[in-house]
Amino acid sequence: MIEFKQVNKFYGDFHVLKDINLTINQGEVVVVIGPSGSGKSTLLRCINHLETISDGILTVNEISVGDKKTDINKLRRNIGMVFQHFYLYPHKTVLENITLAPMKVLGLSEKEAKDTAKHYLAKVGILDKAESYPSQLSGGQQQRVAIARGLAMKPEIMLFDEPTSALDPEMIGEVLDVMKALAKEGMTMVVVTHEMGFAREVADRIVFMDEGRILEEAVPAEFYENPREERARLFLSRILNH
Amino acid sequence: MLDFSILTNNFDSFLEGLKITIISSLIALLSSFILGTLIAVMRIAPVKLLNWLGSVYIEFIRNIPVLVIVFFTYLSGNFGGMTAGTIGLTIYTAAFIAEAIRAGIMSVPKGQMEAARSTGLSYGQAMRMVILPQAIKIVIPPLGNQFINLVKNSSLLAVVAGGDLMYQGDLISAKTYITFDTYVFVALFYLILTIPLSLGVGFLEKRMAKSN
Ligand SMILES: Nc1ncnc2c1ncn2[C@@H]1O[C@H](COP(=O)(O)OP(=O)(O)OP(=O)(O)O)[C@@H](O)[C@H]1O
Ligand SMILES: [Mg+2]
């Protein structure tokens, strides 16, 4: 479904992604971890073309992401993205945040879009906040709205870039629960997160990155109990001991 | 002592001038807002040629005296004084409004555009429906200041016989030979327009500061 073949990316002289080869199949949940600056966000953002790759091949559903002929807006309909800082539209209500793209991109009527939005709001457990503005919600609630906004486009793939890192500890659980439910329904997910409980419970694979390279790919149990790479070991001991 | 007969004898002329000054300023404000938004988006759109065109416009126009711009529009021969003056003011003010709007757009977090684009909205849609509505809020006080400048700059209509307040003053002083007093009244009429605007801008600025 998502395939990186020998992908490299540079920011000027800085080599941020090095020889990335990675295949993510339909229905898989892949968790990406690694030290700060290792290129996790960049990897994720290449998938929906928020960043362009410098060379190699990156395909989503066999369609080349960077290709000039690819209709990027069409590709993106199929890929939801959730950011660390939510980025809800502050001038729009929760409902309007969610209905905007289905109406403007998919051409749904307002009624259809609202029904869809409410369905997903119920799913993430905050239907009662439909008419609120983002500033009136807690961080956890905002992130759940952001997830609903992504889901309302009915994408096949969801990308998450540290979705719980900006949240107060007591709100992390509610967001992870929504993500777990999504994973169990068979959504294809690529998640940058250091939440080990989440990774152990739903990830099919852990991808460990360091300095722009994928150093290790393994199933969670194997990775957390017995990482092959010395650097993965070091990294794990650091996040475990803090 | 001020000669009030100038005011009473020429009251209709003053009112006519006031009307033209207001209409010209309002039209120029609206059109320079539209043109300025367009140029601001050109300056930051991900298309090099547009960036360049936008910059050229702004640099060019900001560095020419507005009087010269008004002259050029008038001398192009296609317009009467008021229209030429209003177009000239629009061309000039748009460059400043573009810069204010650009600053407003830049103050919206980059993630807003990325979030909107990642749902499949095009650049234009994301700009119109997500970014600009947020940017405009920040731009309202500077826009108010531009409007005040516009009202004052509209006195340049006088040099192309635009019929505005300043022009009426010119006519009245030529007729009565009481130059000083005439322009005192002209100044007072400008103040009637600009002081409420200025107070309004101050109020908006305070409210913005509070809401942040
Ligand atoms: N637009 C950019 N221009 C230049 N360098 C960049 C840019 N974006 C990211 N980088 C650099 O690329 C490297 C990888 O960044 P990236 O955000 O992908 O890391 P990350 O693994 O997500 O880190 P974190 O855990 O801190 O989010 C970092 O060293 C970063 O400074
Ligand atoms: Mg990151």
Side-chain angles (χ1 to χ4, degrees):
Chain A
M1 178 155 251
I2 304 170
E3 193 167 17
F4 287 78
K5 273 192 218 146
Q6 219 37 43
V7 168
N8 282 277
K9 175 168 178 63
F10 294 83
Y11 286 122
D13 286 340
F14 182 62
H15 199 171
V16 56
L17 293 180
K18 298 172 185 159
D19 300 329
I20 301 290
N21 288 292
L22 178 67
T23 305
I24 296 163
N25 299 310
Q26 175 148 20
E28 254 192 314
V29 177
V30 171
V31 163
V32 182
I33 71 170
S36 179
S38 57
K40 307 179 296 292
S41 298
T42 308
L43 179 86
L44 203 65
R45 293 158 57 85
C46 285
I47 298 173
N48 68 348
H49 206 243
L50 286 179
E51 304 288 349
T52 47
I53 61 175
S54 308
D55 67 50
I57 299 170
L58 169 56
T59 57
V60 173
N61 282 339
E62 259 93 76
I63 296 164
S64 171
V65 174
D67 198 318
K68 281 212 170 64
K69 280 178 243 135
T70 302
D71 179 348
I72 190 61
N73 297 328
K74 200 167 161 195
L75 189 80
R76 281 175 176 154
R77 289 179 203 175
N78 201 25
I79 310 174
M81 184 155 191
V82 174
F83 301 82
Q84 183 176 355
H85 297 288
F86 335 132
Y87 296 126
L88 296 180
Y89 315 136
H91 59 298
K92 291 185 181 295
T93 65
V94 164
L95 206 58
E96 289 166 348
N97 262 273
I98 303 175
T99 56
L100 181 68
M103 285 167 64
K104 301 297 172 184
V105 178
L106 301 179
L108 297 195
S109 70
E110 192 175 341
K111 164 105 180 44
E112 290 171 312
K114 277 188 176 166
D115 289 346
T116 312
K118 284 178 182 160
H119 168 78
Y120 287 108
L121 275 177
K123 196 165 170 166
V124 300
I126 36 175
L127 187 51
D128 54 320
K129 299 290 181 190
E131 301 301 331
S132 305
Y133 282 88
S135 60
Q136 299 167 314
L137 305 184
S138 72
Q141 291 171 330
Q142 290 189 51
Q143 194 59 299
R144 285 185 282 154
V145 173
I147 294 173
R149 178 174 67 184
L151 292 177
M153 291 297 287
K154 306 212 163 100
E156 288 183 274
I157 301 167
M158 285 289 287
L159 309 175
F160 294 84
D161 192 357
E162 304 207 32
T164 57
S165 301
L167 299 177
D168 292 336
E170 72 271 20
M171 293 171 189
I172 293 177
E174 64 193 53
V175 171
L176 291 179
D177 286 345
V178 168
M179 292 168 61
K180 283 178 198 166
L182 205 57
K184 285 176 181 154
E185 284 169 21
M187 176 66 79
T188 309
M189 292 165 63
V190 188
V191 187
V192 177
T193 183
H194 293 156
E195 293 294 334
M196 211 187 290
F198 172 83
R200 276 174 173 273
E201 190 176 334
V202 297
D204 295 297
R205 248 184 311 155
I206 309 290
V207 168
F208 174 73
M209 290 186 73
D210 191 31
E211 295 182 355
R213 269 181 217 288
I214 294 180
L215 286 193
E216 182 162 352
E217 266 186 78
V219 296
E222 196 182 306
F223 179 80
Y224 287 115
E225 267 129 49
N226 194 14
R228 273 169 308 187
E229 288 288 330
E230 182 55 29
R231 286 204 236 169
R233 249 177 246 273
L234 264 170
F235 175 73
L236 283 178
S237 71
R238 250 186 295 134
I239 58 170
L240 286 175
N241 295 333
H242 95 175
Chain B
M1 204 28 219
L2 219 51
D3 185 349
F4 275 90
S5 70
I6 291 178
L7 182 63
T8 46
N9 291 343
N10 300 286
F11 198 65
D12 287 349
S13 303
F14 277 120
L15 276 192
E16 173 65 16
L18 191 66
K19 193 180 87 189
I20 299 224
T21 292
I22 292 173
I23 292 174
S24 168
S25 304
L26 277 176
I27 293 176
L29 179 73
L30 192 70
S31 9
S32 57
F33 178 67
I34 294 167
L35 185 60
T37 306
L38 217 72
I39 294 165
V41 172
M42 277 171 71
R43 280 213 57 183
I44 57 165
V47 183
K48 284 259 155 51
L49 179 70
L50 292 183
N51 299 163
W52 182 80
L53 285 173
S55 305
V56 167
Y57 182 95
I58 289 171
E59 287 313 314
F60 210 70
I61 297 300
R62 280 204 307 187
N63 291 302
I64 304 175
V66 53
L67 177 59
V68 176
I69 297 174
V70 169
F71 258 137
F72 272 122
T73 8
Y74 187 62
L75 294 175
S76 76
N78 301 319
F79 314 105
M82 182 188 167
T83 312
T86 308
I87 293 173
L89 286 173
T90 299
I91 292 172
Y92 179 75
T93 310
F96 291 87
I97 290 187
E99 282 300 82
I101 290 179
R102 189 176 73 105
I105 292 173
M106 302 300 270
S107 73
V108 177
K110 222 176 106 223
Q112 289 284 328
M113 177 56 96
E114 294 182 345
R117 292 302 308 273
S118 71
T119 62
L121 292 171
S122 69
Y123 180 84
Q125 287 176 320
M127 188 50 97
R128 244 180 325 118
M129 295 175 241
V130 175
I131 307 300
L132 285 176
Q134 296 181 56
I136 292 307
K137 263 199 218 145
I138 303 158
V139 177
I140 286 174
L143 218 56
N145 284 321
Q146 284 306 322
F147 190 39
I148 296 171
N149 283 337
L150 203 49
V151 170
K152 293 188 289 180
N153 287 340
S154 71
S155 60
L156 291 171
L157 259 67
V159 300
V160 290
D164 67 308
L165 202 47
M166 185 68 185
Y167 181 72
Q168 301 297 343
D170 291 347
L171 293 185
I172 294 164
S173 74
K175 194 172 70 183
T176 60
Y177 299 107
I178 309 177
T179 310
F180 184 82
D181 294 31
T182 304
Y183 288 113
V184 168
F185 288 117
V186 168
L188 285 175
F189 274 109
Y190 277 112
L191 286 173
I192 290 172
L193 291 179
T194 51
I195 285 182
L197 280 174
S198 176
L199 291 174
V201 169
F203 172 77
L204 281 176
E205 274 170 347
K206 257 199 223 112
R207 231 184 49 175
M208 294 285 300
K210 246 192 245 153
S211 75
N212 286 337

